[in-house]
């Protein structure tokens, strides 16, 4: 028996394998954090479902899907050779891909590109960041119900995967309830709700009252988000699910600082978790800058320890491994990977040019990547480096060194912008030079980020 040209037996198998969002504990989507090593750790520690970091539709559509037999991954690679998104078989049945979009046609095109490698597709409709809102994405969609409907209905109709979205609550309760009713009507499989307004941050208690009302208001599973302020272990996660009245919960910050928060037996010490993170990063050749950034969040309270200082001074993945006593693991993995590379066909080697390089007559070898600046959402070049005053003579500061360098090389006028992070009264500076913006991801004193601005030769 068949339904058109699609066998009913196959249709039943596909439906049986569809991701269920009921009664689940999940890793929330987090920019920079939600890359492959964090997702795999969360799953291994007990998370039921993991969300990838939000990726913008325009950028995803520039990528090419490339199976990577050396790593056992599927990579989505930009024309520049940068791997934008990497996934593997271990997470495939429990991975949700989140996109930022404001257009139904682009949303469908992105979903078509990634659908064979994930189990669910999510649309970010709650991100309050300026770059997202200005692009008509994220929280901008909260007040555009017709566009929300068009995007979600298009995805539900054209993509044979569970479709979900993640929103924030609105100022008026009735507006929030009206929005979730509309979302449910599109045929989505679940709705994730961050229980805060778009202008509220993590220091504001999550609004469990409205979460309970939403959960009662719709029939699809509601996934509560925003409870990390009160979450330190698995029991707290279950308590948040109970107090929210929602079917499932997703955890962000608590998992960012310790992915083992999903362990029912209780979280592990952060140094142990960080070491496991490094092992996964080695296995899947994670990008050094991202490895360093994620580890700094796990060891956020230990960055002044000998281990923390070694991490902050690292420049390559090999440096990171040395800091954690995993140099031998790194070397063995590199040797094994080199053996796999030599077995590649010429066509495979060409396809994997973004992770290989040719060294003399030795054929292709794994690329050794240094920690290089990442481009933030607003175009700022950022490194995760901490300023240490003792690294400088008493007569010098990063700012004075930078001024001398700019003056000596005739690079023009420097401009600075410093902003305060209210919750912990730390500061972050950005320097503007020749049409570019430079900073670090680290917040401390007003001049702390300027050490990262020096060119390698200075």
């Amino acid at each position: 028996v068949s339904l058109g040209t699609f066998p009913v037996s196959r249709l039943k198998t596909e439906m049986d394998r569809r991701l269920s969002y009921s009664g689940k504990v999940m890793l929330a989507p987090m920019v920079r954090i939600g890359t492959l090593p964090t997702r795999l750790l969360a799953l291994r520690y007990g998370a039921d479902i993991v969300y990838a970091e939000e990726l913008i539709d325009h950028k995803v559509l520039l990528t090419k899907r490339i199976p990577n037999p050396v790593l056992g991954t599927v990579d989505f690679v930009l024309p520049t050779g940068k791997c934008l998104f990497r996934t593997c078989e271990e997470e495939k049945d429990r991975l949700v891909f989140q996109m930022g979009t404001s257009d139904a046609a682009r949303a469908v095109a992105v979903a078509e590109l990634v659908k064979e490698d994930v189990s669910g597709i999510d649309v970010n409709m709650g991100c309050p960041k300026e770059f997202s809102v200005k692009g008509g994405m994220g929280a901008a969609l909260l007040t555009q119900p017709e566009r929300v409907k068009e995007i979600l209905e298009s995805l539900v109709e054209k993509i044979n995967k569970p479709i979900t979205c993640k929103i924030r609550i609105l100022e008026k309760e009735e507006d929030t309830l009206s929005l979730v009713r509309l979302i449910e009507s599109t045929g989505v499989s679940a709705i994730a709700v961050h229980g805060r307004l778009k202008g509220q941050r993590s220091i504001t208690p999550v609004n469990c009252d409205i979460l309970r009302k939403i959960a009662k208001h719709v029939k699809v599973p509601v996934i509560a988000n925003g409870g990390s302020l009160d979450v330190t272990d698995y029991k707290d996660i279950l308590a948040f699910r109970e107090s929210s009245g929602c079917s499932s919960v997703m955890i962000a910050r608590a998992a960012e600082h310790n992915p083992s928060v999903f362990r029912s037996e209780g979280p592990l010490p952060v140094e142990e978790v960080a070491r496991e993170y490094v092992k996964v990063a080695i296995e899947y050749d994670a990008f050094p800058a991202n490895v360093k950034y994620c580890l700094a969040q796990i060891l956020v309270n230990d960055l002044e320890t000998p281990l923390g200082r070694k991490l902050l001074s690292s420049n390559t993945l090999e440096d990171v491994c040395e800091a954690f006593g995993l140099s031998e693991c790194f070397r063995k993995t590199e040797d094994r990977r080199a053996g796999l590379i030599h077995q590649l066909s010429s066509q495979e080697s060409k396809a994997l040019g973004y992770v290989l390089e040719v060294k003399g007559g030795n054929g292709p070898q794994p690329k050794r990547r240094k920690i290089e600046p990442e481009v933030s959402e607003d175009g700022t070049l950022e490194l995760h480096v901490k300023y240490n005053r003792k690294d400088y003579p008493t007569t010098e500061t990063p700012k004075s060194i930078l001024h001398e360098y700019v003056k000596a090389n005739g690079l023009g006028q420097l401009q600075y912008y410093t902003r305060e992070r209210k919750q912990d009264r730390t500061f972050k500076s950005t320097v503007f030079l020749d049409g570019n913006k430079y900073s670090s991801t680290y917040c401390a004193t007003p001049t702390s980020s300027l050490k990262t601005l020096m060119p390698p030769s200075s």
Side-chain angles (χ1 to χ4, degrees):
V1 181
S2 65
L3 186 64
T5 59
F6 198 92
V8 170
S9 59
R10 183 179 164 199
L11 179 62
K12 185 179 186 303
T13 301
E14 290 292 324
M15 294 301 291
D16 289 343
R17 292 179 59 192
R18 285 172 73 91
L19 199 61
S20 168
Y21 293 87
S22 296
K24 298 296 193 297
V25 172
M26 313 176 191
L27 176 72
M30 291 179 280
V31 173
R32 290 186 177 171
I33 298 297
T35 47
L36 184 57
T38 301
R39 299 197 305 264
L40 291 180
L41 273 192
L43 289 172
R44 293 173 188 181
Y45 286 133
D48 298 307
I49 295 171
V50 291
Y51 279 62
E53 63 174 335
E54 177 198 15
L55 295 173
I56 305 304
D57 54 6
H58 288 288
K59 207 164 188 179
V60 179
L61 292 174
L62 294 174
T63 67
K64 180 180 180 181
R65 180 186 183 275
I66 302 178
N68 185 335
V70 175
L71 298 178
T73 60
V74 174
D75 298 343
F76 291 81
V77 184
L78 291 164
T80 59
K82 180 180 179 180
C83 180
L84 182 68
F85 176 59
R86 172 169 287 162
T87 182
C88 67
E89 192 66 28
E90 182 179 344
E91 66 172 355
K92 182 176 180 180
D93 291 338
R94 295 174 287 173
L95 172 64
V96 176
F97 181 92
Q98 188 187 66
M99 72 176 85
T101 187
S102 60
D103 179 81
R106 287 199 304 272
V108 169
V110 168
E112 288 283 0
L113 183 62
V114 304
K115 68 180 182 181
E116 298 305 321
D117 303 296
V118 303
S119 286
I121 303 291
D122 184 81
V123 179
N124 185 339
M125 296 185 171
C127 178
K129 292 184 179 180
E130 185 179 6
F131 86 95
S132 189
V133 175
K134 278 189 173 180
M137 303 175 290
L141 293 169
L142 294 174
T143 53
Q144 300 182 53
E146 290 308 312
R147 182 165 293 187
V148 168
K149 185 176 181 181
E150 181 187 8
I151 292 171
L152 294 177
E153 283 186 341
S154 296
L155 286 167
V156 170
E157 177 187 351
K158 297 174 182 177
I159 304 299
N160 186 32
K161 292 284 180 181
I163 306 300
T164 60
C165 67
K166 185 170 181 284
I167 67 169
R168 283 190 175 230
I169 59 175
L170 298 165
E171 290 278 358
K172 295 180 180 179
E173 179 182 304
E174 57 267 33
D175 290 341
T176 301
L177 297 179
S178 175
L179 178 62
V180 295
R181 274 199 308 270
L182 177 140
I183 291 171
E184 182 183 37
S185 73
T186 65
V188 295
S189 298
I191 307 170
V193 184
H194 186 139
R196 294 185 179 91
L197 301 169
K198 70 176 183 179
Q200 294 176 327
R201 296 297 176 261
S202 58
I203 57 172
T204 304
V206 64
N207 188 338
C208 281
D209 289 338
I210 188 63
L211 290 176
R212 285 192 294 271
K213 290 177 181 178
I214 292 170
K216 292 178 180 178
H217 204 69
V218 294
K219 294 179 180 178
V220 295
V222 175
I223 307 163
N225 177 228
S228 282
L229 196 64
D230 301 312
V231 170
T232 58
D233 58 26
Y234 189 73
K235 289 185 293 184
D236 293 336
I237 295 176
L238 298 183
F240 174 45
R241 184 165 69 184
E242 180 71 22
S243 62
S244 71
C246 294
S247 172
S248 298
V249 292
M250 57 169 52
I251 302 300
R253 289 180 185 270
E256 173 184 0
H257 297 306
N258 192 338
S260 73
V261 72
F262 295 108
R263 291 179 81 245
S264 58
E265 307 92 334
L268 297 169
V270 290
E271 189 169 325
E272 181 178 341
V273 173
R275 185 178 170 85
E276 290 303 310
Y277 181 98
V278 176
K279 290 179 182 178
V280 180
I282 295 170
E283 182 181 0
Y284 288 103
D285 193 29
F287 295 100
N290 189 251
V291 169
K292 186 174 178 180
Y293 178 81
C294 292
L295 286 170
Q297 311 316 308
I298 296 172
L299 297 175
V300 65
N301 295 317
D302 298 298
L303 293 176
E304 294 299 335
T305 65
L307 176 60
R309 286 195 290 270
K310 285 181 181 178
L311 170 66
L312 292 173
S313 64
S314 60
N315 289 311
T316 64
L317 184 55
E318 192 170 7
D319 291 343
V320 174
C321 294
E322 184 177 346
F324 283 86
L326 291 168
S327 294
E328 184 65 19
C329 177
F330 177 82
R331 283 192 291 271
K332 286 182 177 179
T333 303
E334 288 283 283
D335 290 344
R336 176 177 56 81
R337 198 171 289 152
L340 292 172
I341 289 170
H342 285 301
Q343 297 173 26
L344 296 174
S345 66
S346 58
Q347 186 175 357
E348 288 173 322
S349 293
K350 185 177 180 180
L352 293 173
Y354 61 98
V355 291
L356 304 178
E357 61 186 356
V358 177
K359 296 182 178 180
N362 297 323
Q365 299 288 328
K367 281 185 178 178
R368 294 291 183 89
R369 293 186 293 268
K370 291 185 177 181
I371 293 178
E372 298 178 345
E374 293 186 353
V375 182
S376 69
E377 295 91 343
D378 65 354
T380 302
L381 292 169
E382 292 187 335
L383 277 178
H384 189 77
V385 180
K386 183 180 178 182
Y387 168 66
N388 221 326
R389 187 68 187 87
K390 68 181 182 181
D391 292 341
Y392 295 84
T394 55
T395 57
E396 289 184 330
T397 65
K399 189 173 182 179
S400 67
I401 295 172
L402 179 61
H403 270 284
E404 287 299 319
Y405 179 85
V406 169
K407 183 179 179 181
N409 290 274
L411 297 179
Q413 184 70 33
L414 285 168
Q415 291 181 304
Y416 300 95
Y417 170 70
T418 300
R419 63 181 182 273
E420 180 184 6
R421 192 166 65 183
K422 299 290 185 182
Q423 59 262 42
D424 54 7
R425 297 190 59 79
T426 56
F427 297 83
K428 180 177 177 179
S429 292
T430 301
V431 64
F432 296 77
L433 177 64
D434 196 27
N436 295 315
K437 295 182 285 185
Y438 306 87
S439 186
S440 80
T441 59
Y442 192 86
C443 297
T445 64
T447 58
S448 66
S449 63
L450 298 181
K451 182 181 176 184
T452 69
L453 308 178
M454 301 304 301
S457 59
S458 62

